[in-house]
Amino acid sequence: MADLKRTVLYDLHIALGGKMVPFAGYEMPVQYPMGVLKEHLHTRSHAGLFDVSHMGQVILRPKSGAVADAALAFERLVPVDVAGLAEGRQRYGMFTDEAGGILDDLMFANRGDHLFVVVNAGCRDQDIAHMRAHLADACEVEEITDRALVALQGPAAEAALARLLPGAAAMSFMQVAILDWDGVEIWVSRSGYTGEDGYEISVPDAQARAFCEALLAMEEVAPIGLGARDSLRLEAGMCLYGHDIDTTTSPVEANLSWAIQKARRAGGARAGGFPGAGRILRELAEGPARRRVGLKPEGRAPMREGTQVFAAAEGGEPIGAITSGGFGPSIEGPMAMAYLPATLAEGATVYGDVRGKRLPATIVPMPFLPNRFKR
Amino acid sequence: MKYTEDHEWLRVDGDVVVVGITAHASEQLGDVVFVELPEAGTAVSAGDEVCVIESVKAASDIRAPLDGEIVEVNGDLADNPGMVNEDPTGKAWFFKMKIADLSALDGMMDEAAYNEMIG
């Protein structure tokens, strides 16, 4: 696999029997010997450890020294209330472009004297260039290149992580903290991409393997690959950039309006002022023409990404397409996301073209499985 | 047992041939979550796509290994597709075919040749 990068945990993946595949320019484990199905279920019943070190970690350090200045500058690029985010808290957001499309989705945290941003691996270089181009007057944009990022997810995540980092137990959902592990500074947020309670944990490269091995030594913790990561996030109704969202979808179409707080909407304290605000505010007011919905195919046949969706069992042109689809091990059936006309209500039946046959599917609310975040 | 390059096994059982996929193939597919079977009574030509297997990763086909007629399908697989991973060469057979000339199997790989192919 020439030209592919490796995370600092590569040797650990190999030692654990990980099956490595190319993903976003990296060699990453798609599964371990346990297999995708059992890894998925293990995460839901116990705790799963994921290597997400391929993702970009960035610090936005305000030149003035005041984090509020970094927050206001960052608001130029995202339709999200950054200035109103309290110290120690994290939020979901997205970079938008002038046409109102999504350049990437991300998490950001207020860490007192700076913002900490986590972006997708495939968009990292472009995101960093984007931030440098638009925030240089207010912030230093520092890419963190000497830290691994792992996620520990599942109902046993709290008990497991608290054995290493006792302070993790008291954290609330979307809280961030800097904790100490035998003198090593660990950056922790209580968040994730599975719909379960859990943490995302930034560990210095030098200690990353030892930290992961300390977690994996615990009976309830198993290593989990990209395969189960995808089925877990899909059951949780979460978007995968480049599939469910991209520059052709707006945040409103993507059903991510919840991430656009009042302060940035029409009539808010800092309304607009982000790329694509014209379209996005209009869609918030008038509703989008199409939106991302959940689909529950009847029967067991999965409807995969790219499946064309029709309004009727015969005839007519496609009304949309599936952007992610597969089998949900916890819901024990197929599930999919699609962009469909906003006129179609939940409960409506549509038809996915699977190998030339139109199979019925119902529009359902997401998540497919209720999330279990620590509120 | 005989084997095809598409990772199917064939076992002669009286005047029919039982067809399934090899353990190697089931490992490569990953956890199987859905199986679509043909109708018994279907006439098929070698190479026809007769079954669909969906795993947690992707969809793949099973092709008819020879010309003939599907005489029986394993309905248990539709309810319990995970059998393909648990017992690929036993309980998880896919279909039985009637073949005009059983000597057509003679040219197929035996176990040693198949194991050599998959390395």
Side-chain angles (χ1 to χ4, degrees):
Chain A
M1 288 191 253
D3 300 331
L4 290 174
K5 289 180 270 192
R6 293 174 174 180
T7 75
V8 71
L9 295 170
Y10 176 85
D11 291 343
L12 178 60
H13 300 316
I14 298 299
L16 292 168
K19 185 175 166 193
M20 307 305 282
V21 299
F23 182 81
Y26 284 79
E27 271 182 89
M28 298 299 286
V30 66
Q31 65 171 79
Y32 297 91
M34 188 186 270
V36 176
L37 205 67
K38 291 197 179 81
E39 290 173 27
H40 177 114
L41 296 172
H42 185 92
T43 304
R44 294 251 184 263
S45 62
H46 297 83
L49 182 67
F50 305 72
D51 179 14
V52 289
S53 304
H54 55 311
M55 297 182 78
Q57 304 178 66
V58 182
I59 281 178
L60 298 179
R61 204 174 292 285
K63 290 183 172 169
S64 69
V67 71
D69 293 329
L72 287 172
F74 197 53
E75 284 193 355
R76 295 172 198 159
L77 302 181
V78 297
V80 182
D81 180 358
V82 186
L85 182 66
E87 180 174 345
R89 304 295 306 172
Q90 186 176 45
R91 237 169 218 171
Y92 175 77
M94 65 289 291
F95 292 125
T96 50
D97 65 16
E98 290 301 330
I102 300 173
L103 291 167
D104 194 9
D105 66 340
L106 55 100
M107 296 286 259
F108 64 94
N110 176 347
R111 295 210 305 188
D113 61 356
H114 65 267
L115 299 179
F116 178 57
V117 184
V118 177
V119 299
N120 283 306
C123 303
R124 181 184 51 206
D125 293 347
Q126 171 200 306
D127 290 343
I128 289 170
H130 185 58
M131 288 188 276
R132 290 203 168 121
H134 293 95
L135 307 178
D137 58 323
C139 303
E140 302 289 350
V141 178
E142 301 170 12
E143 182 180 5
I144 306 298
T145 55
D146 58 358
R147 282 182 165 263
L149 191 66
V150 297
L152 183 67
Q153 302 279 298
E158 179 184 289
L161 190 60
R163 281 182 213 127
L164 305 184
L165 304 170
M171 292 173 69
S172 61
F173 182 58
M174 295 296 253
Q175 187 183 342
V176 298
I178 293 178
L179 302 176
D180 176 85
W181 182 55
D182 286 343
V184 180
E185 194 177 277
I186 312 283
W187 303 347
V188 182
S189 80
R190 194 153 199 169
S191 58
Y193 193 49
T194 60
E196 296 296 324
D197 179 29
Y199 303 86
E200 292 183 317
I201 309 155
S202 174
V203 186
D205 280 348
Q207 287 83 26
R209 179 162 181 167
F211 185 83
C212 289
E213 285 178 332
L215 287 170
L216 291 168
M218 301 175 193
E219 200 177 348
E220 61 267 58
V221 181
I224 310 296
L226 291 174
R229 182 170 160 82
D230 192 54
S231 54
L232 288 159
R233 70 91 195 168
L234 188 47
E235 280 185 344
M238 295 171 173
C239 293
L240 175 61
Y241 190 80
H243 300 259
D244 309 305
I245 48 176
D246 58 28
T247 53
T248 70
T249 63
S250 80
V252 184
E253 288 177 329
N255 223 346
L256 298 173
S257 302
W258 57 269
I260 307 175
Q261 289 82 12
K262 211 180 249 180
R264 307 304 305 281
R265 297 187 180 211
R270 296 178 312 285
F274 51 83
R279 172 186 176 187
I280 291 167
L281 295 181
R282 188 178 65 246
E283 286 183 351
L284 280 170
E286 298 172 5
R290 58 171 194 157
R291 67 193 162 97
R292 181 177 62 95
V293 297
L295 286 183
K296 191 86 195 66
E298 283 176 27
R300 284 186 70 98
M303 294 184 184
R304 307 270 180 189
E305 179 176 0
T307 299
Q308 299 284 302
V309 179
F310 295 82
E314 284 176 37
E317 293 297 310
I319 56 170
I322 285 173
T323 53
S324 282
F327 183 85
S330 299
I331 63 169
E332 297 182 320
M335 59 185 168
M337 293 180 190
Y339 279 83
L340 294 181
T343 48
L344 287 170
E346 274 171 14
T349 300
V350 294
Y351 298 84
D353 183 326
V354 179
R355 295 178 283 271
K357 275 184 260 177
R358 289 196 194 174
L359 304 179
T362 308
I363 300 179
V364 295
M366 288 188 284
F368 296 98
L369 188 74
N371 64 47
R372 297 195 286 181
F373 302 134
K374 176 99 173 185
R375 296 285 180 185
Chain B
M1 206 110 97
K2 293 288 189 175
Y3 297 85
T4 72
E5 289 174 0
D6 293 334
H7 307 283
E8 292 157 353
W9 55 259
L10 291 81
R11 193 178 66 228
V12 178
D13 182 9
D15 61 344
V16 299
V17 175
V18 188
V19 181
I21 66 166
T22 65
H24 172 77
S26 87
E27 278 164 33
Q28 295 297 311
L29 283 172
D31 303 300
V32 174
V33 296
F34 171 75
V35 173
E36 190 176 287
L37 297 163
E39 301 265 336
T42 311
V44 295
S45 304
D48 285 359
E49 293 167 6
V50 287
C51 299
V52 176
I53 311 175
E54 295 256 10
S55 75
V56 286
K57 295 176 199 159
S60 32
D61 302 309
I62 296 189
R63 293 170 185 279
L66 297 161
D67 295 347
E69 183 193 343
I70 307 277
V71 291
E72 191 181 344
V73 298
N74 185 356
D76 292 348
L77 281 185
D79 300 326
N80 187 7
M83 281 197 319
V84 177
N85 300 108
E86 289 153 19
D87 194 8
T89 51
K91 285 185 195 144
W93 58 275
F94 278 73
F95 53 86
K96 296 179 182 175
M97 291 182 75
K98 200 163 239 168
I99 309 289
D101 179 7
L102 285 174
S103 70
L105 272 75
D106 294 347
M108 290 186 168
M109 285 181 279
D110 60 12
E111 186 169 359
Y114 178 72
N115 286 337
E116 192 171 329
M117 185 188 90
I118 62 175

